[in-house]
Amino acid sequence: METPRIDVEIAGIRFPNPFILASGIADETGASMVEAVRMGAGGVVTKSLSLQPREGHRNPCIVELPYGLLNAMGLPNPGIQGYAEEVAEYFRSTKGSNPIIGSVFGSTVEEYALAAGRISDMGVHAIELNGSCPNAKGLGLQFGQDPMVIEDLVREVKDAVKVPVFFKLTPACSNIASLALAAQIGGADGVVAVNTMPAMKIEVRTRRPLLTNVTGGLSGPALRPIGVRCVYEIASSGRIRIPIIGVGGISSWEDALEYMMAGASAVQIGTAVTWGNLAVFGEMTEGLLTFMKEERIRSIQDIVGAARGVE
Amino acid sequence: MMRAPGEMEIVRVEKVVKETATITTIMFSPVYLGRWSSLVPGQFLMIWVPGVDEVPMSLSHIRKQPFRLGITVQDIGEATNSICALKKGDRIGIRGPYGNGFTLPSLEEVDTIMGVSGGVGAASTVLPMEWAHTEGFRTVNLVGARDSGLLLYRGRWESISESVHYSTDDGSFGHHGFVTDLLKNELSEMTVEDRERTMVLTCGPEVMLAEVKKVMDLFDVPGQFSLERFMKCGIGLCDSCSMSGRRVCMDGPVFHGSEVSELKEFGKYQRDRSGKLVPLKECVR
């Protein structure tokens, strides 16, 4: 049997494999993202960027738990202009072989649109709207829980850029398919599900929340079943025509397949890069290819949504 | 592969030693011993001072029985100030150990390990040098500081070194000049054969390390560098300590000389809290 095809196309963008580096993980610099590609990532998402630089929250901004990782980085970033050299470095080294998606956030719809326009000018292949970061007051999540706002936000950003626009959804909602639908109506070219889940940790001996920001976002293995359910609900709603990118607690090819069988066309990997290392990308590709050969699956696209409609 | 997550452990400060006017050693004993069993000299901990900050600190003391760990901290900012002000019985949070640590070569290939320490960088080199001594290497220690009041661990260096030399920038103790002068002297007095069987372990301000690198390259002597960058998560997530695509917290903090050659930012640039590339300052924080 010839080598199975694992390349995927999302909104007209081709990724050599479906494993994309998630936003906010080991992607502060161009060189770091180049390294992720060298280690086998199919594409990368930049750190979430805003118009102005942000230092983020004071430490502690992460808590390692047995079942996941709690973080409240507070969206630190050097500002879009300060990041230009990182994107340039990425293109110099990769020649654009693997797509780079620019993640942006703002405190108003206008800021989102301006930020998206600026990073789009740097040549990124697509925009990911971080409309669901739980860690910075007035930024992100306030936009991501209201379908009306999502629709408006996506529409404004679509007007500002020519590249595809993806909207990143929060799992902290009562009906994620309705949020995905709002993004679709606004003109989104895809949705990314899911961001981290708002959560907190109290340190009992010192009687205080461990995170300086008090609450943070839960990622890692604990998030995975929630993320899989979210993707499944979006895909099964019968109303969503745009592709879904799955993210949340994926650390192996089996985890990735769960998301893809639920309906995701590709997946993003974050926490596993922290708890393992970038080698996770190569391991996943190798494992996926072996599985596909054993199961005689010719193309990964034949897997997408395989678990739907069989219940 | 996935490693065991490092949950924070709350410990009480057991002992406080004022090393110099501005440098303090804090000792504490973790209860959960499992994660410390494979500790490597040169690894670091994240130290949480409740209500203040959480910062990375190299381990400078390991006592086996009863088990106790220590860090040596120079008071240079809010976080380090709060650590230096800790009293016996105060609670802190620790997680780790993180990073790779130093590695010792085989005695068949190398017989001399040379420690080159600058200022509070000695906190990172003292454990690996003690380890090298225990393993049977000939150990030479070159220890520099701005002035005699900042020279650390005199007793420890003397008990583990075949020879130890000091330098101070102001000439108040030992050689009047830089520790790199001592390194040049030491290496130039060795035969080519001896140099081929020598390895340098070094930590200190990065301007000093850049000079150490030049001297090592000149004499073609290999070595390992413990580097520092502004660090947030300590576990490879946030990328704030990124250097030319390597994360100091995970891929380091110890890098071989050949790796350091590939770090374009070494000795020149660092990243600020927002991740912006800025010219290197003397201290990272």
Side-chain angles (χ1 to χ4, degrees):
Chain A
M1 181 186 174
E2 53 187 285
T3 306
R5 291 194 59 173
I6 58 166
D7 58 305
V8 295
E9 196 177 292
I10 300 168
I13 305 165
R14 204 192 68 84
F15 296 81
N17 68 60
F19 308 131
I20 302 166
L21 179 68
S23 180
I25 313 291
D27 56 3
E28 183 166 284
T29 76
S32 302
M33 294 185 288
V34 170
E35 187 63 12
V37 166
R38 196 181 68 79
M39 296 298 283
V44 299
V45 188
T46 68
K47 183 151 272 214
S48 258
L49 302 164
S50 50
L51 292 174
Q52 299 301 322
R54 280 176 59 92
E55 291 193 347
H57 299 312
R58 183 163 274 249
N59 267 6
C61 47
I62 66 124
V63 182
E64 284 188 88
L65 299 165
Y67 35 79
L69 192 67
L70 195 52
N71 92 81
M73 299 307 302
L75 297 166
N77 79 92
I80 298 239
Q81 288 318 121
Y83 200 78
E85 178 51 31
E86 312 305 337
V87 176
E89 164 77 22
Y90 181 82
F91 278 109
R92 271 198 300 276
S93 297
T94 63
K95 314 286 178 217
S97 59
N98 299 49
I100 175 170
I101 300 169
S103 172
V104 296
F105 69 95
S107 58
T108 62
V109 168
E110 292 71 28
E111 279 185 22
Y112 269 94
L114 264 175
R118 289 203 186 146
I119 192 136
S120 154
D121 289 343
M122 294 172 197
V124 297
H125 297 83
I127 304 290
E128 179 176 292
L129 297 175
N130 184 357
S132 43
C133 176
N135 295 330
K137 211 172 175 215
L139 301 167
L141 192 52
Q142 67 170 55
F143 293 95
Q145 287 173 320
D146 183 339
M148 301 290 282
V149 178
I150 292 176
E151 188 185 320
D152 188 34
L153 179 57
V154 173
R155 186 168 289 125
E156 289 289 325
V157 171
K158 278 297 286 182
D159 284 346
V161 301
K162 292 196 175 67
V163 294
V165 172
F166 305 136
F167 189 85
K168 190 166 182 179
L169 297 162
T170 178
C173 61
S174 56
N175 185 347
I176 196 160
S178 69
L179 300 185
L181 182 62
Q184 177 175 283
I185 294 170
D189 302 277
V191 289
V192 182
V194 292
N195 208 317
T196 57
M197 187 74 180
M200 76 182 288
K201 162 79 180 172
I202 290 171
E203 202 298 298
V204 297
R205 287 186 177 76
T206 51
R207 306 182 186 194
R208 56 164 73 225
L210 193 37
L211 291 169
T212 303
N213 189 52
V214 180
T215 59
L218 183 65
S219 64
L223 183 61
R224 189 172 65 244
I226 297 171
V228 171
R229 186 265 302 165
C230 286
V231 168
Y232 188 86
E233 281 185 4
I234 297 167
S236 306
S237 69
R239 300 188 290 179
I240 305 302
R241 311 271 172 262
I242 53 180
I244 307 163
I245 299 173
V247 53
I250 296 169
S251 67
S252 69
W253 61 271
E254 292 102 323
D255 299 343
L257 277 181
E258 275 198 68
Y259 273 92
M260 296 185 83
M261 290 180 179
S265 299
V267 294
Q268 296 177 356
I269 292 96
T271 304
V273 172
T274 299
W275 277 0
N277 54 56
L278 291 168
V280 69
F281 287 107
E283 290 161 11
M284 287 175 70
T285 292
E286 201 174 314
L288 179 64
L289 283 171
T290 304
F291 171 79
M292 288 172 72
K293 280 179 195 157
E294 281 167 10
E295 300 284 319
R296 303 200 155 271
I297 300 162
R298 280 167 202 269
S299 169
I300 187 66
Q301 284 163 39
D302 300 340
I303 289 283
V304 174
R308 292 200 290 113
V310 297
E311 55 286 78
Chain B
M1 289 317 293
M2 305 268 278
R3 69 181 158 75
E7 279 192 84
M8 182 176 283
E9 179 177 347
I10 303 296
V11 294
R12 282 189 193 276
V13 173
E14 289 182 346
K15 195 176 171 192
V16 178
V17 181
K18 292 286 164 195
E19 303 277 0
T20 76
T22 55
I23 301 177
T24 305
T25 294
I26 304 290
M27 314 272 233
F28 43 85
S29 304
V31 173
Y32 304 105
L33 297 182
R35 68 174 80 161
W36 307 104
S37 58
S38 56
L39 195 60
V40 180
Q43 286 189 296
F44 67 93
L45 310 182
M46 293 301 289
I47 305 285
W48 179 47
V49 183
V52 183
D53 206 343
E54 187 196 39
V55 288
M57 286 292 157
S58 281
L59 271 175
S60 56
H61 298 68
I62 303 175
R63 196 181 66 187
K64 293 270 160 62
Q65 277 178 335
F67 186 70
R68 182 187 265 182
L69 300 172
I71 53 168
T72 300
V73 179
Q74 185 168 19
D75 181 0
I76 54 164
E78 194 187 351
T80 50
N81 180 271
S82 69
I83 295 174
C84 291
L86 288 168
K87 306 234 163 4
K88 186 177 174 180
D90 286 347
R91 280 188 163 125
I92 56 171
I94 58 171
R95 53 188 180 93
Y98 293 131
N100 55 2
F102 288 95
T103 47
L104 290 182
S106 89
L107 272 162
E108 282 153 28
E109 285 161 19
V110 168
D111 43 41
T112 300
I113 303 284
M114 202 174 281
V116 183
S117 314
V120 78
S124 298
T125 47
V126 69
L127 280 179
M129 290 309 295
E130 286 176 344
W131 182 30
H133 172 72
T134 310
E135 292 294 313
F137 290 91
R138 175 178 170 263
T139 52
V140 175
N141 275 292
L142 313 176
V143 186
R146 276 207 303 274
D147 59 62
S148 61
L150 294 172
L151 281 172
L152 288 171
Y153 313 137
R154 297 258 308 274
R156 287 174 79 179
W157 296 126
E158 268 138 48
S159 69
I160 59 158
S161 309
E162 188 189 273
S163 67
V164 52
H165 304 281
Y166 299 98
S167 71
T168 50
D169 298 2
D170 68 351
S172 53
F173 191 84
H175 167 71
H176 185 176
F178 298 128
V179 72
T180 43
D181 303 336
L182 300 177
L183 180 61
K184 262 182 241 169
N185 280 349
E186 226 25 65
L187 292 177
S188 57
E189 282 170 14
M190 294 171 92
T191 64
V192 175
E193 292 72 29
D194 284 345
R195 284 202 292 264
E196 278 174 358
R197 299 181 59 78
T198 296
M199 178 176 275
V200 169
L201 307 185
T202 185
C203 185
E206 198 156 302
V207 277
M208 173 202 119
L209 294 182
E211 199 55 36
V212 169
K213 178 77 168 56
K214 278 186 202 157
V215 176
M216 284 167 47
D217 289 349
L218 178 69
F219 288 95
D220 193 27
V221 172
Q224 297 166 46
F225 295 71
S226 178
L227 303 184
E228 186 185 14
R229 279 295 178 272
F230 177 68
M231 202 179 273
K232 282 184 180 170
C233 73
I235 57 168
L237 178 145
C238 72
D239 216 23
S240 67
C241 63
S242 186
M243 269 183 103
S244 307
R246 310 292 299 278
R247 287 164 287 173
V248 171
C249 68
M250 264 187 102
D251 302 317
V254 178
F255 293 92
H256 283 266
S258 53
E259 296 175 293
V260 172
S261 303
E262 304 292 315
L263 301 174
K264 283 176 278 183
E265 294 156 33
F266 174 73
K268 296 190 186 80
Y269 297 100
Q270 63 187 68
R271 286 180 189 273
D272 68 11
R273 285 168 181 269
S274 77
K276 188 166 173 252
L277 199 65
V278 294
L280 185 75
K281 282 183 291 195
E282 189 182 337
C283 78
V284 171
R285 214 150 270 286

